Amino acid sequence: MLNLKIAIKRELNQKVTLATIIAFKNLKPRTMRWLKLVIPLALLTWFWLSLPSQLFNNPISYVIEDKDGNLLSASIATDGQWRFPQNKKLPQKFADCITTFEDKRFWYHPGIDPIAICRAVIKNIKNKGVVQGGSTINMQVIRLSKGDTRRSLWNKLKETILAVRLQCEYSKKGVLALYAANAPFGSNVVGLDAAAWRYFGRSATKLSWGEMAALAVLPNAPALVHPGKNRAVLLKKRNALLDQLVAAGKIDSTTGTLAKVELLPGAPLPLPQDAPHLLQRFKKENRELKGETKITTTLDGILQKNLAAIVQQHQSVLRGNGINNACALVLDVETGNTLAYVGNIADRANKEMEADVDVITAPRSPGSALKPILYAAMLSDGLILPNSIIPDIPTQIGNYAPKNFDLGYDGAVPASRALSRSLNIPAVKLLQQYKYQRFYETLQQCGITTLNRSADTYGLSLILGGCEVTMWDLAGVYASMARSLNHQTKNHGKLDPSDFHPPKYTKSSTAKVRELRANDQANASSLALDPTATWFTFKAMQEVMRPGEEGLWQQFSSSQTIAWKTGTSFGFRDGWAIGVTPKNVVAVWVGNTDGEGRPGLIGVHTAAPILFDIFRLLPSVSFFEKPVFNYTYLPVCRQSGFPANIDCPDVDTLFMPANAEKAPLCAYHKMINLDATGNFRVTGECESPSAMQHKSWFVLSPAMEYYYRQRNADYKVLPPFKAGCSFDETGRSMELIYPQEGAKIYVPLEISGEKGKTIFTAAHRRTGAKIFWSLDDAFAGTTQNFHQLALNPSIGKHIITLVDENGTSISRQFEILEKEKN
């Protein structure tokens, strides 16, 4: 039965074959001509489409290089292999080595080498087995792309066809680049670039002939690289290749002899990890932008290493106070390029240190680091002059009561000195005048991108670190300000919006990054930061006392003049220092990434020393040039710092920003009438006008005067009125300093366990004046000269009333709380 089935099948096959032959014979000549045209065209089409558009789809390592092409950091591919992206620039040494060892006629054949194939066939027949292959580098590229290492006639045929097709698609150098990027080099190392770093610790372009020859023989037998094994075989293969290079005239005999003395690669070396946080950032942004996995950054490799060492050195000391983290950033002002990027300390083994967090891109409270921007904005608008005095007295705005860091008060302080000393109350007074809604918009226009809540949410606390900014944005703003100042001559003193753009860390950019930069410049088009105002701002910032130097730095010609600012966030959670020169911006942050505050975590003590150590690594440059456009000369009152009014006795004509003319006139000098002795004030009721002296007097409000006198011994209070003269005060003669209207006061217990008392404070312009105090219409006491009274009001709302001898009265409502308000 089985034989019958076989016979029937054979008969059917013969009939089908015969029918096919007869059908072809019966085809018309036109049809035959058509088939002769279509079949070759179909075969050619198949040949052309046989090569995939992308040969290799393997996971790739992320790689970042410094500006000179040196490896900064790399991460292993997701399949556990060190496989760097393809490098189109192949070292000539490798091209000479690999073609001499693997494919001597590579530069001449069309993808396959008929001579090598014939020689391999003859030799294999003689030895009755496969002892030699005839594969070209093209064929090996095809085999690597398929991942099929099985040797069969069918696989060989496919490789042969695709090798020719590969040569039609790529140049000879392109084929070599594909091979160099995907050939195995032992262990988990794939590709020449990864192999050079893993085995020799440097780029392939810097390898010697001996080192390159050792790598060139590895793809043929990658298992040769193994510590303690196969060393003799590897040495023999390498030296044989060097002899071939000498014979081929690629190197001379002396070079070949010296190359043989070189050591063989041993165990794989760890790759450099000099910028791990920038690599982490690049990987994240690359996934969003779907760009390349290798970039050449703008970083200076040597500066990067030195910066990391400085940060690590200081953090090892700060760790004793429970301060675990620090980061630093250096920018080039002119280009906005990042020169060094240390996102955190290097202690990844200790998870508690959270060293993996890139603090440069993490939103943190800036403390006082935004004050210079407000100062520059107000100078630009002409709301103040550089040394206009600002009230520095106890202040409460609603439920908000700002305090200076030292808890003291100056009464009145020049705006520039308030900035250099980072006084909080004057800064809040300035923001109250400028309006926090407008400052919110100014920060966004400058390039602060993390203000994700409404302006009303931040309120006046915006100027004292009540918002979150990133070091990346903050350093970028200062670099943009410095850039606009450097360009003020070229731009005739006008602000060029293109000067305000975010920093960059790569020489290349994707379309999406370019789009973001365009948007940033568009936002800056309505920014009103005058370069001349920026110059005054930086000039004020250079007056800050450097940590540990007590002003002696100015005696050394090698010391740089640096405009710098520190910041400390609420709760001692963040310490900042940022410095600016015409060449560079340096930003430093110190703290704990988990937000834990520590006593002593103050910007000037923790971050500033790191800042100045970094500046010592940078080239010394002269300070910013004085603006030559967009300025004016203005008569300025020497005492108040405002434009002089007619009553100002001491007037200086000073260099000022162009809009300084819009500033309000001095309101602190008033004409008073004195008697002939000049010791008493008089009025027309008690003194003849002919006997009067008319004198201009610098007059502060009672509260400002109370504190100002304590720090300024040369301040002269208004003379008392002459006996028999009625009081004719202009302005307030008495002021209640504490509490402010509507204040909510919590009084803690004393050490003894008893409830503490509230200290009520007032000021009176007239020396020796008496003030009578009442609490809820009940007499509480009398003060003279020194107007402070300790009271113990019960829990609830109260009214305190003050009356002086002239009947002038002040009343203010406040509330004593049972529990401290959170």
Side-chain angles (χ1 to χ4, degrees):
M1 189 68 179
L2 179 62
N3 292 334
L4 179 60
K5 289 182 178 180
I6 293 173
I8 293 171
K9 187 175 182 180
R10 186 178 300 161
E11 182 70 20
L12 288 173
N13 288 338
Q14 289 175 354
K15 289 181 178 181
V16 170
T17 303
L18 182 61
T20 303
I21 294 171
I22 293 171
F24 271 100
K25 284 182 178 182
N26 291 333
L27 285 174
K28 295 180 180 181
R30 182 182 296 177
T31 305
M32 287 296 293
R33 285 196 301 270
W34 183 80
L35 287 175
K36 287 178 182 179
L37 180 65
V38 169
I39 290 174
L41 187 61
L43 290 174
L44 183 61
T45 303
W46 171 82
F47 172 76
W48 194 257
L49 298 175
S50 61
L51 190 72
S53 59
Q54 186 172 351
L55 281 173
F56 296 93
N57 292 299
N58 299 315
I60 301 295
S61 298
Y62 281 88
V63 179
I64 58 173
E65 300 174 337
D66 69 9
K67 62 183 178 64
D68 298 318
N70 299 310
L71 182 65
L72 285 172
S73 292
S75 64
I76 198 166
T78 54
D79 62 353
Q81 303 292 308
W82 288 104
R83 185 186 294 105
F84 284 15
Q86 180 179 332
N87 188 348
K88 295 180 180 179
K89 295 180 180 179
L90 199 65
Q92 187 59 42
K93 284 181 183 177
F94 181 76
D96 291 340
C97 287
I98 200 65
T99 54
T100 301
F101 184 74
E102 290 282 0
D103 194 349
K104 292 180 176 61
R105 284 172 290 277
F106 171 77
W107 300 104
Y108 313 108
H109 63 62
I112 58 173
D113 187 353
I115 298 174
I117 292 174
C118 292
R119 187 177 61 244
V121 170
I122 294 171
K123 195 166 186 177
N124 292 338
I125 291 173
K126 285 182 179 180
N127 290 275
K128 299 180 180 180
V130 180
V131 294
Q132 182 177 342
S135 295
T136 61
I137 290 178
N138 295 56
M139 297 170 70
Q140 293 183 50
V141 169
I142 296 300
R143 188 183 308 135
L144 290 169
S145 69
K146 299 296 184 183
D148 189 355
T149 58
R150 293 176 299 173
R151 292 191 175 187
S152 66
L153 188 59
W154 175 245
N155 280 350
K156 208 65 162 178
L157 179 60
K158 287 193 297 183
E159 290 173 9
T160 301
I161 296 172
L162 290 173
V164 176
R165 174 65 184 87
L166 181 69
Q167 197 60 72
C168 296
E169 185 74 20
Y170 293 89
S171 66
K172 287 292 184 181
K173 289 185 178 180
V175 173
L176 273 182
L178 282 172
Y179 178 81
N182 296 281
F185 283 84
S187 185
N188 64 339
V189 180
V190 177
L192 174 65
D193 286 344
W197 281 103
R198 287 288 279 165
Y199 295 129
F200 297 108
R202 54 185 177 276
S203 69
T205 57
K206 297 180 180 179
L207 296 183
S208 66
W209 280 106
E211 293 166 339
M212 191 65 83
L215 290 184
V217 303
L218 286 180
N220 186 265
L224 288 178
V225 176
H226 193 286
K229 293 182 180 180
N230 305 322
R231 311 295 287 171
V233 179
L234 177 59
L235 181 63
K236 183 179 179 180
K237 281 180 171 288
R238 183 200 69 174
N239 291 346
L241 173 55
L242 290 170
D243 290 337
Q244 293 177 44
L245 290 169
V246 173
K250 303 293 185 183
I251 58 175
D252 57 50
S253 58
T254 301
T255 302
T257 302
L258 293 174
K260 289 180 181 180
V261 183
E262 296 181 28
L263 297 176
L264 294 173
L269 304 172
L271 294 182
Q273 294 296 336
D274 295 327
H277 299 95
L278 184 57
L279 175 67
Q280 172 183 312
R281 175 176 178 178
F282 168 56
K283 289 173 66 176
K284 179 182 177 182
E285 294 179 353
N286 177 272
R287 284 192 290 268
E288 295 173 356
L289 300 174
K290 297 181 180 179
E292 298 178 354
T293 61
K294 178 183 178 180
I295 56 167
T296 299
T297 69
T298 59
L299 270 62
D300 181 315
I302 296 176
L303 180 62
Q304 175 72 15
K305 291 179 182 179
N306 290 336
L307 198 72
I310 288 175
V311 171
Q312 201 71 24
Q313 177 186 359
H314 281 270
Q315 191 276 334
S316 64
V317 176
L318 295 170
R319 187 184 299 182
N321 187 29
I323 302 173
N324 296 330
N325 306 101
C327 70
L329 181 68
V330 180
L331 301 180
D332 176 76
V333 167
E334 181 61 29
T335 61
N337 289 345
T338 303
L339 302 182
Y341 188 111
V342 178
N344 209 327
I345 61 168
D347 192 2
R348 295 196 170 193
N350 187 348
K351 296 299 182 183
E352 294 182 359
M353 304 297 285
E354 296 187 354
D356 285 334
V357 177
D358 181 4
V359 187
I360 290 177
T361 58
R364 307 288 305 194
S365 168
S368 298
L370 300 180
K371 289 176 181 175
I373 303 174
L374 175 63
Y375 181 78
M378 295 192 71
L379 287 177
S380 297
D381 283 0
L383 295 175
I384 58 170
L385 300 189
N387 291 313
S388 296
I389 59 172
I390 311 299
D392 182 24
I393 58 177
T395 301
Q396 181 157 341
I397 304 166
N399 292 328
Y400 180 53
K403 305 284 186 184
N404 290 327
F405 186 80
D406 61 0
L407 301 180
Y409 307 96
D410 278 31
V413 61
S416 61
R417 194 175 304 163
L419 176 61
S420 65
R421 290 176 53 198
S422 196
L423 297 177
N424 291 336
I425 293 175
V428 171
K429 292 282 189 182
L430 289 175
L431 183 58
Q432 193 176 19
Q433 180 183 354
Y434 189 74
K435 306 303 180 185
Y436 65 80
Q437 297 90 341
R438 188 179 178 199
F439 187 55
Y440 176 91
E441 294 177 357
T442 298
L443 292 176
Q444 290 182 322
Q445 292 167 351
C446 284
I448 301 297
T449 62
T450 50
L451 301 178
N452 299 321
R453 292 176 286 173
S454 67
D456 292 334
T457 304
Y458 299 114
L460 293 172
S461 68
L462 196 63
I463 195 62
L464 303 183
C467 59
E468 297 81 31
V469 304
T470 65
M471 177 182 286
W472 184 255
D473 285 352
L474 189 62
V477 172
Y478 279 98
S480 296
M481 292 172 67
R483 191 179 305 115
S484 70
L485 182 52
N486 287 343
H487 293 172
Q488 55 92 19
T489 301
K490 180 181 73 174
N491 298 329
H492 299 284
K494 301 299 182 182
L495 178 69
D496 183 354
S498 65
D499 287 335
F500 277 76
H501 59 74
K504 57 183 178 180
Y505 62 83
T506 173
K507 292 183 176 179
S508 60
S509 63
T510 65
K512 185 171 182 180
V513 173
R514 285 195 296 269
E515 179 185 348
L516 291 174
R517 288 178 182 163
N519 289 340
D520 286 328
Q521 291 176 3
N523 290 337
S525 63
S526 56
L527 184 63
L529 279 188
D530 177 52
T532 306
T534 298
W535 182 79
F536 276 102
T537 302
F538 288 165
K539 196 169 182 292
M541 290 168 63
Q542 79 178 65
E543 299 300 327
V544 181
M545 184 72 72
R546 298 188 183 187
E549 296 188 1
E550 303 299 331
L552 298 178
W553 66 273
Q554 299 179 51
Q555 300 178 18
F556 298 91
S557 59
S558 61
S559 296
Q560 286 200 73
T561 304
I562 302 167
W564 66 291
K565 184 74 184 73
T566 61
T568 304
S569 68
F570 177 78
F572 303 102
R573 294 182 175 91
D574 305 89
W576 291 84
I578 189 160
V580 187
T581 68
K583 181 70 176 174
N584 298 112
V585 169
V586 176
V588 177
W589 173 91
V590 171
N592 291 307
T593 55
D594 61 3
E596 179 187 359
R598 298 297 303 169
L601 207 173
I602 302 168
V604 71
H605 295 151
T606 57
I610 302 176
L611 178 87
F612 288 104
D613 277 354
I614 294 172
F615 266 113
R616 292 185 184 100
L617 299 175
L618 301 174
S620 181
V621 295
S622 57
F623 198 62
F624 295 94
E625 294 182 3
K626 188 176 181 179
V628 294
F629 290 99
N630 206 34
Y631 65 88
T632 186
Y633 281 90
L634 190 71
V636 177
C637 176
R638 189 177 301 170
Q639 285 78 27
S640 71
F642 282 95
N645 68 19
I646 195 173
D647 295 330
C648 293
D650 302 313
V651 178
D652 301 310
T653 301
L654 301 177
F655 176 84
M656 289 287 147
N659 284 333
E661 297 172 346
K662 298 179 181 179
L665 296 177
C666 172
Y668 295 97
H669 275 99
K670 297 179 174 63
M671 293 298 298
I672 61 172
N673 300 320
L674 301 176
D675 65 0
T677 66
N679 296 323
F680 297 96
R681 278 186 289 169
V682 294
T683 65
E685 297 179 0
C686 62
E687 190 82 9
S688 170
S690 60
M692 293 182 185
Q693 297 184 49
H694 306 290
K695 190 172 183 179
S696 177
W697 207 274
F698 181 56
V699 182
L700 298 174
S701 71
M704 293 169 67
E705 181 181 272
Y706 174 77
Y707 293 102
Y708 190 82
R709 289 174 60 187
Q710 299 174 28
R711 295 180 180 265
N712 297 272
D714 59 343
Y715 177 77
K716 296 180 179 179
V717 300
L718 281 169
F721 278 93
K722 188 176 181 179
C725 289
S726 61
F727 294 102
D728 185 22
E729 293 284 3
T730 57
R732 292 175 295 178
S733 61
M734 179 174 61
E735 198 168 348
L736 181 58
I737 298 174
Y738 184 82
Q740 298 293 314
E741 178 65 34
K744 298 181 184 297
I745 304 170
Y746 170 73
V747 184
L749 297 177
E750 302 286 355
I751 297 177
S752 62
E754 297 179 358
K755 186 178 179 181
K757 293 186 177 182
T758 302
I759 306 298
F760 294 82
T761 305
H764 202 289
R765 190 181 304 283
R766 186 163 51 86
T767 303
K770 289 184 179 181
I771 296 179
F772 305 96
W773 302 70
S774 299
L775 181 64
D776 299 329
D777 294 330
F779 180 72
T782 304
T783 57
Q784 186 174 12
N785 292 324
F786 188 68
H787 302 290
Q788 284 190 341
L789 192 66
L791 299 174
N792 190 4
S794 60
I795 295 171
K797 294 183 178 181
H798 301 274
I799 296 177
I800 186 80
T801 302
L802 287 68
V803 181
D804 69 3
E805 298 164 297
N806 300 320
T808 304
S809 66
I810 300 173
S811 293
R812 191 163 291 170
Q813 184 173 311
F814 65 94
E815 182 180 359
I816 300 294
L817 302 176
E818 182 177 3
K819 295 181 179 180
E820 185 174 8
K821 186 177 180 181
N822 294 326

